[in-house]
Amino acid sequence: MATAHHRQQPTQRHRKGSGYPVQDLRQRALAWAVKLRVNPRAIRVQDMRHKWGSCTSQGTVTLAHDLVDRSDEFQDYVIVHELLHMRYANHGRIFKALMSAYVPTWRRLESEADSTPAKTGR
């Protein structure tokens, strides 16, 4: 059930927040969990060399630490993708329809993520 969202060079940007980027990322994921009506067992933020996020069958969502350097739009793409795996284990038609509903630009963002040299597959 784990998925891979692969690395791209970080984009430097300024963002409003608490001053604790990892905490802000975790809060963003929790807000999306409420919106998507899923209840992750845990949301971790840690170093991930080859992917942007993953979701276990036990409900643990792990997000790459360097997502804090990416745009809100890209963060939303990764967060929604992983949280939707709590309901749909594969990338089927319903999964893609929900991605389009919640993150309309997800295909472009996926292309950006997939165009990196570090891509190791899904």
Side-chain angles (χ1 to χ4, degrees), residues 66-121:
D66 51 346
L67 266 176
V68 301
D69 297 324
R70 300 302 306 261
S71 69
D72 291 349
E73 180 185 38
F74 192 83
Q75 288 179 9
D76 288 346
Y77 156 68
V78 174
I79 291 167
V80 171
H81 185 115
E82 299 310 335
L83 290 173
L84 282 177
H85 277 308
M86 295 185 68
R87 291 162 91 195
Y88 303 96
N90 60 38
H91 297 114
R93 198 178 67 209
I94 296 171
F95 180 91
K96 289 176 181 177
L98 288 170
M99 282 298 297
S100 294
Y102 288 107
V103 184
T105 58
W106 75 271
R107 290 181 194 274
R108 176 181 54 80
L109 295 164
E110 181 177 63
S111 293
E112 288 177 24
D114 288 347
S115 68
T116 64
K119 184 176 180 338
T120 58

